[in-house]
Amino acid sequence: MADRHAQLSFDGNEYDLPIVEPTIGNAGLTIAKLRADSGDVTYDPGFANTAGAQSTITYIDGAAGILQHRGYAIEDLAANATFLEVAYLLLVGKLPNKAEFEAWSEDVRMHTLLNEEMKRFFDAFPKRAHPMAILSSATNAISTFYEDYHDPSNAKAFDESAVRLLAKMPTIAAWAYKKSIGMPYSYPNNDLDYVENFLAMMFSLPTARYEVDPVIAKAVNVLFVLHADHEQNCSTATVRGVGSSQANLFASVGAGIDALWGPLHGGANQRVIEMLQSIVDDPDASAKSMIARAKDPNDPFRLMGFGHRVYKNYDPRARVLRSYADDVLAAVGIKDPLFDIAKELEQTALEDDYFVERKLFPNVDFYSGLIFRALDFPTRMFTVLFAMGRLPGWMAQWKEMTEDPSTRIMRPRQIYIGDIDKEYVPIEER
Ligand code: ACO
């Protein structure tokens, strides 16, 4: 196919915009030289219509509700793959064969311990510290033990840092939780697999034997797989943006964790449960009253777990989780009133013109929290669980960005609308 170009004309001038062609999905009009040629920039708040990268990792068709990693459908991966296999797929670009997988997962298994000095770091936080603050701080802090691995152009350093981060994240997450409940930190047990090890560190005590329930381990595996990557979302764009300054992988991931914490992004999973609980706790609240608040233009309240920048159809991850939530709740023998309220809320919203017109559907956060809750995770750990799942995606995107010769430091332009040429007035004269 001949190279396609778009023409842009304004102020009597014509500008040629070469088109970057995709394998599938939207093409991209290259505007990189527009400012040099015309003196003007494009304006796109939230970069909702701007591609910051060409990527081979994840494909989303938001209108059709399709999500694929390296060409594999999320439904297929969630049903059949382990989280570590998906992490390998994202990082390396292909599914591992048996020997590759065994060698790699053994490598991850061997790096689960934190440097003992990190204990003092956890001790220093107040008991009420949100585990997301501890997670991002600890991710930055472990960079101080690996300063020889900070050069982004060193591929071997990346591979080893990625294994270390993947291996240590469950230990950090579990210790953040133990800190919050005033219980002793549990050390990793390398006889267990990735998810089992995490569960044992979360829930075991020195005083009692802890057996990992295979139903819970499987559910956590599915949840991690469903969160593993999601192309250029807010936290991934943050990881890429920080990494574009050649900051090290640990620092870039730490920044991604902070971006994920926000309630409009990964923090929504905690907010969904708080919203559902508020309906149970308040006799005057109901699914209908929540919907009415969400629709009220004078009320900043939004229906948490609903709507998505990219999906204008049911989020395929939410679809998997909705039916999976039924199975998990039944398997662990829990009848959760919040699940019934969630289904009622979803039904009411999906029949409401406001939500229909704006194409607002449940996103991944709407049902994930209900499953985490059934598995006994405290609400404040939900976004940490999301971060653990998203880690391979962040690292794969960081690697892709670092290896891409067209990468430049992320530095958007602005349109200045403030005052100019004012004269300084001494403080006593103001
Ligand atoms: N409740 C009520 N109204 C909503 C909601 C919601 N959850 N989401 C969007 N809308 C409305 C907006 O008010 C807007 O209405 P308007 O056209 O009358 O002004 C319209 O739908 C479009 O919304 P935008 O804010 O422009 O959409 P955007 O793509 O910028 O935001 C977002 C997407 C942040 C996810 C938004 O839908 C939201 O706030 N949802 C609730 C928080 C949430 O669940 N976040 C998790 C997202 S998934 C993830 O990050 C893992």
Side-chain angles (χ1 to χ4, degrees):
M1 186 171 63
D3 286 352
R4 290 195 299 153
H5 290 245
Q7 307 301 320
L8 177 69
S9 69
F10 66 96
D11 285 350
N13 295 311
E14 286 275 329
Y15 301 97
D16 179 64
L17 309 179
I19 294 182
V20 178
E21 300 291 355
T23 318
I24 182 171
N26 50 236
L29 278 57
T30 310
I31 48 95
K33 283 178 68 219
L34 186 64
R35 184 174 176 280
D37 294 344
S38 72
D40 291 317
V41 297
T42 52
Y43 178 54
D44 183 17
F47 305 120
N49 202 62
T50 296
Q54 295 184 49
S55 182
T56 61
I57 301 172
T58 290
Y59 169 65
I60 300 175
D61 180 337
I66 291 171
L67 168 61
Q68 297 185 357
H69 298 314
R70 305 281 192 191
Y72 296 95
I74 191 65
E75 295 83 357
D76 197 3
L77 294 172
N80 299 306
T82 65
F83 174 60
L84 278 193
E85 254 183 299
V86 174
Y88 187 101
L89 172 71
L90 293 168
L91 285 161
V92 180
K94 67 171 193 95
L95 283 170
N97 64 30
K98 206 159 182 288
E100 287 165 336
F101 184 65
E102 274 167 15
W104 191 68
S105 43
E106 185 62 10
D107 205 9
V108 173
R109 205 183 281 256
M110 287 303 128
H111 285 89
T112 49
L113 269 179
L114 297 179
N115 187 298
E116 198 63 9
E117 286 185 74
M118 282 290 288
K119 259 190 177 170
R120 283 189 286 135
F121 186 84
F122 284 85
D123 287 342
F125 282 100
K127 193 166 174 224
R128 280 299 294 159
H130 196 287
M132 282 299 276
I134 302 183
L135 195 73
S136 90
S137 309
T139 302
N140 269 303
I142 55 173
S143 75
T144 60
F145 296 93
Y146 305 108
E147 288 193 1
D148 293 343
Y149 293 80
H150 287 190
D151 175 6
S153 64
N154 182 341
K156 194 164 175 306
F158 171 83
D159 290 344
E160 290 182 30
S161 301
V163 163
R164 283 203 168 99
L165 266 172
L166 208 50
K168 294 179 197 309
M169 199 58 76
T171 316
I172 297 173
W175 285 20
Y177 171 59
K178 291 291 190 189
K179 163 80 201 183
S180 74
I181 54 167
M183 289 288 166
Y185 308 122
S186 300
Y187 283 95
N189 173 355
N190 291 353
D191 292 336
L192 300 175
D193 79 13
Y194 191 83
V195 169
E196 291 167 347
N197 191 21
F198 169 57
L199 290 170
M201 284 189 286
M202 274 291 295
F203 298 117
S204 66
L205 288 171
T207 45
R209 203 176 145 75
Y210 175 80
E211 291 288 344
V212 177
D213 180 338
V215 171
I216 297 182
K218 177 164 185 283
V220 172
N221 186 74
V222 170
L223 281 150
F224 281 175
V225 168
L226 290 174
H227 287 90
D229 190 54
H230 213 237
E231 51 118 309
Q232 311 308 319
N233 58 85
C234 177
S235 55
T236 303
T238 302
V239 170
R240 278 181 174 260
V242 172
S244 76
S245 76
Q246 299 188 355
N248 66 73
L249 181 68
F250 300 94
S252 307
V253 168
I257 293 170
D258 285 330
L260 186 76
W261 191 5
L264 296 190
H265 192 13
N269 60 10
Q270 174 179 335
R271 300 296 177 99
V272 168
I273 295 299
E274 289 165 356
M275 175 182 78
L276 297 173
Q277 188 64 51
S278 75
I279 300 180
V280 173
D281 294 344
D282 177 358
D284 294 331
S286 64
K288 283 205 164 56
S289 70
M290 285 290 158
I291 302 278
R293 280 193 66 194
K295 289 162 57 173
D296 180 353
N298 300 315
D299 188 337
F301 173 79
R302 284 188 164 199
L303 200 59
M304 298 316 280
F306 254 77
H308 198 275
R309 169 61 60 79
V310 179
Y311 293 117
K312 302 302 166 196
N313 197 331
Y314 217 108
D315 179 338
R317 302 165 300 173
R319 195 184 296 284
V320 172
L321 285 176
R322 191 186 196 280
S323 63
Y324 196 52
D326 268 325
D327 300 348
V328 172
L329 264 67
V332 295
I334 285 179
K335 175 102 188 68
D336 188 349
L338 298 198
F339 190 35
D340 298 332
I341 293 174
K343 287 200 248 186
E344 187 192 342
L345 204 52
E346 174 187 338
Q347 191 61 30
T348 316
L350 293 182
E351 286 166 4
D352 189 291
D353 284 350
Y354 175 97
F355 288 84
V356 173
E357 278 158 20
R358 289 168 180 74
K359 299 189 168 64
L360 301 171
F361 291 86
N363 60 51
V364 66
D365 292 321
F366 195 69
Y367 285 110
S368 63
L370 287 159
I371 303 182
F372 288 141
R373 194 174 130 91
L375 304 181
D376 239 9
F377 286 100
T379 315
R380 280 156 66 94
M381 281 296 287
F382 292 0
T383 315
V384 168
L385 291 154
F386 189 149
M388 293 174 69
R390 182 55 53 86
L391 177 63
W394 286 331
M395 297 195 296
Q397 299 271 352
W398 190 94
K399 180 172 186 244
E400 186 177 67
M401 181 259 325
T402 305
E403 290 173 351
D404 181 348
S406 67
T407 292
R408 301 172 73 191
I409 186 167
M410 188 166 88
R411 202 310 186 179
R413 293 281 176 170
Q414 65 167 11
I415 296 162
Y416 180 69
I417 55 167
D419 296 337
I420 53 160
D421 294 342
K422 287 173 121 177
E423 214 160 276
Y424 179 79
V425 181
I427 196 161
E428 6 357 287
E429 293 171 29
R430 278 178 239 155

